[in-house]
Amino acid sequence: MTSVAVKARVTGHVQGVAFRTWARAEALRHGLTGWIRNEPDGSVRALLIGPAASVADMVRRMGRGPGAASVKDVLTEKTDPETGIKGFQIVG
């Protein structure tokens, strides 16, 4: 199965609401690899790697976020899958 990779930037009220922890659990549940981190501007950035349908579903889920989040937008761009990434990590 071919993996795709997408970088996502989630804006809105997405820090301080367990967004990264929620996203990590969702990504692992769907067999994705990658990472997620807080950005200084208040957004959250993620790298999602996996089957195209699973990545697309995760992007949709990130558009809703966990209950305490208020997502304004999810901007995505395709990228080359990074090799050597194992699991899904919260990196910052």
Side-chain angles (χ1 to χ4, degrees):
M1 186 178 322
T2 303
S3 287
V4 299
V6 170
K7 288 184 179 177
R9 180 174 175 261
V10 186
T11 59
H13 182 63
V14 293
Q15 290 189 13
V17 293
F19 194 96
R20 294 173 301 155
T21 301
W22 169 85
R24 180 178 184 272
E26 288 293 307
L28 291 173
R29 193 163 67 88
H30 288 88
L32 301 179
T33 59
W35 50 259
I36 191 163
R37 69 177 180 229
N38 283 340
E39 293 292 313
D41 67 0
S43 67
V44 172
R45 186 169 297 272
L47 174 65
L48 310 169
I49 304 170
S54 296
V55 169
D57 186 48
M58 184 65 188
V59 169
R60 281 190 297 276
R61 290 173 182 279
M62 291 174 82
R64 293 185 299 272
S70 177
V71 177
K72 179 179 177 185
D73 201 7
V74 181
L75 305 171
T76 62
E77 65 178 283
K78 290 184 179 180
T79 188
D80 292 327
E82 294 180 21
T83 57
I85 294 179
K86 298 195 186 313
F88 195 91
Q89 304 298 317
I90 296 172
V91 295

